[in-house]
Amino acid sequence: MHKLRLNPLAKQDLIDIKEYILTEFDNPSAAANVIKSIIKSYEKLKEFPMFGALLSSKIDIKSDYKYLISGEYIIFYKVENPYVSIYRILSYRRDYIKILFKEV
């Protein structure tokens, strides 16, 4: 079984997602449920690290990022034995390619 490692940016993404839902919808229950759902999704990667798809199969950029979708959010990660490293958790509505690859 792999160990999970959350990048500081991914931790901040979770905080930002929760704050966004609280601010925009004033719904603490929805915010908590979304965060729980995201965490539940990436927790599965401990046992099944190859579960997600390669990002390079979707875009024309060479990358070892894999991604997993959780509701309206995309979890970007890399398998770095013995770890699954979560790098970012971003809304599918954002320009995630530009965020992940700043030079693009």
Side-chain angles (χ1 to χ4, degrees):
M1 186 176 300
H2 286 72
K3 298 175 187 177
L4 284 178
R5 182 168 50 191
L6 255 66
N7 178 296
L9 289 173
K11 289 179 186 177
Q12 187 61 50
D13 289 337
L14 287 173
I15 293 166
D16 292 346
I17 290 164
K18 184 176 181 180
E19 287 299 315
Y20 173 79
I21 295 169
L22 288 171
T23 302
E24 291 296 313
F25 304 105
D26 192 26
N27 191 335
S29 176
N33 287 338
V34 167
I35 298 303
K36 285 179 192 173
S37 178
I38 291 170
I39 292 170
K40 186 176 180 181
S41 292
Y42 71 62
E43 286 281 330
K44 293 176 186 175
L45 295 172
K46 288 193 282 189
E47 198 168 339
F48 304 104
M50 304 312 275
F51 185 65
L54 279 171
L55 184 58
S56 60
S57 69
K58 182 176 176 144
I59 61 170
D60 193 24
I61 297 173
K62 185 172 171 50
S63 169
D64 55 351
Y65 278 116
K66 293 180 74 63
Y67 70 95
L68 181 66
I69 296 176
S70 178
E72 295 185 11
Y73 297 92
I74 307 172
I75 302 163
F76 295 95
Y77 69 98
K78 294 180 183 180
V79 179
E80 302 167 325
N81 290 324
Y83 296 100
V84 174
S85 300
I86 311 293
Y87 282 89
R88 296 301 306 258
I89 303 166
L90 302 169
S91 169
Y92 76 88
R93 293 182 179 111
R94 295 183 67 188
D95 187 350
Y96 55 85
I97 301 304
K98 193 172 195 175
I99 294 168
L100 289 173
F101 307 100
K102 291 181 172 118
E103 65 276 356
V104 171

